[in-house]
Amino acid sequence: MRDTVMVMTPAPAGRRRGPSKGDLREKAILDTARELLARKPLAEITIDELAAGAEISRSTFYFYFDSKLAVVVALLHGLADELGRDAGPWLDGTGPDAPALRRSLSALAAIWRDQGRLIAGALAAAPGCPPIARWRAGLREAHVDRLAARIARDRAAGLAPDGPAPRVLAELIDDLRTAAFAAATDPEALVDDLVTVELRMLYADFPETALGRMIGQAP
Amino acid sequence: MRDTVMVMTPAPAGRRRGPSKGDLREKAILDTARELLARKPLAEITIDELAAGAEISRSTFYFYFDSKLAVVVALLHGLADELGRDAGPWLDGTGPDAPALRRSLSALAAIWRDQGRLIAGALAAAPGCPPIARWRAGLREAHVDRLAARIARDRAAGLAPDGPAPRVLAELIDDLRTAAFAAATDPEALVDDLVTVELRMLYADFPETALGRMIGQAP
DNA sequence: GCGCATAGTCGACACACTGTCGAGTTTCTC
DNA sequence: GAGAAACTCGACAGTGTGTCGACTATGCGC
């Protein structure tokens, strides 16, 4: 695969050199992939199509990328930042701050709306494609870490009730988001309900005693 | 594909006829599939292996099944009943009946423990394989329908607070279960936490007023 | 201008897996 | 034991993948 790392071009002092023919081709492949992903799932996209879209032969495709999944990985790289953005205020905050959570989820929903196929395709390919699995794991861990820390903080401050270990609860919330957005036709329509549900999961005041009494009952 | 429907054999009055050679072969293929799925994901299993496991040639495989996915569908059929079993008392019950919910989730977790690869493979193949998609949709809908009805019932009886539309909430819970079990290494270790979380999602006593006050605050 | 390295391009090939066909063999049934 | 149905297989065609070696284009030092 062609080096994706942008090697510092010698920069001949004077004129700025435009992108090389190869850079253009690479971009064309990426654009084609994005465009195709908007229309059909990753599994149905073939290297032939990618090559055709970039107006090169199939074998030339391999000059730029190792495989179809390598293209996905490249596409994914640009997405990692986006996915984390706007989550800061919520994750670094304290207590049931619904507006912050809502903003965080809205941003996430917008990304799912625009790039759902890409993400879904990536998730489906993850088992069996280590780079994608790593990408997913890294993203998930980053979110879970911060959310778990937030939960621990809230509990220590008496703002949130006890319950599942912070990490486990954070994982459940992360899973819920992914599954819900992946299944939704209109991710953005889900935001408000997701806010409610996540707040319940985190802050539900479900008295131990009452719960204990209820558990005692037979159905 | 060989007729899977058990045609009533003419039953020659006298002796009971044992399974035909073909029945045995079919079972051998199914068994091989189950066995391979315990070791690696569906995508890595090839028809050659399935055929070899059943000690037939690859082309003979096609006498029994249309494709690898057809085998999965057959395997899935046996699973549908299991997946619904033990959920009755919870789904038909009323109020935060934790023990019933726990039993329902325990049974589900056991299935995921034993057949996780099969289910995960099926879910991954669902987009792009209508029969599997239908299977999944049917199962999901059955669960969502009953759970949504339960939610509506509880709300009408004043046992559960308002919140997302019953159907949406039910979908979120279904999504959460699937995602959580799919991601877990040990599904059964998750049961207790899932009970807590689902009860919170359904019955969280998160006072409107208190929530309202909190929403008012800036982070 | 020439020579040469590097970038870019492609057709042809080898391979893996899928699914079909027709011809063969076995097994039931009358 | 004849004929139908069940079963089996090798050979083939199709599709998608990835590699190779030869060929052309481009930039650069001289």
Side-chain angles (χ1 to χ4, degrees), chain B residues 133-149:
Chain B
R134 267 197 303 279
W135 175 83
R136 162 67 175 139
L139 225 57
R140 178 179 149 99
E141 211 180 326
H143 180 231
V144 167
D145 281 348
R146 294 174 76 188
L147 184 51

Side-chain angles (χ1 to χ4, degrees), chain A residues 107-121:
Chain A
L108 196 58
I111 297 172
W112 271 93
R113 171 183 23 87
D114 296 334
Q115 327 234 26
R117 279 252 173 65
L118 169 60
I119 306 177

Side-chain angles (χ1 to χ4, degrees), chain A residues 142-173:
Chain A
H143 180 231
V144 167
D145 280 349
R146 294 174 76 187
L147 183 52
R150 190 190 200 281
I151 294 170
R153 227 182 304 135
D154 277 350
R155 288 190 183 166
L159 288 168
D162 255 8
R167 220 185 152 71
V168 174
L169 184 51
E171 282 167 349
L172 287 176
I173 289 179

Side-chain angles (χ1 to χ4, degrees), chain A residues 19-30:
Chain A
S20 75
K21 192 162 136 206
D23 293 337
L24 259 15
R25 288 272 191 249
E26 189 172 323
K27 188 173 173 308
I29 294 174
L30 257 10

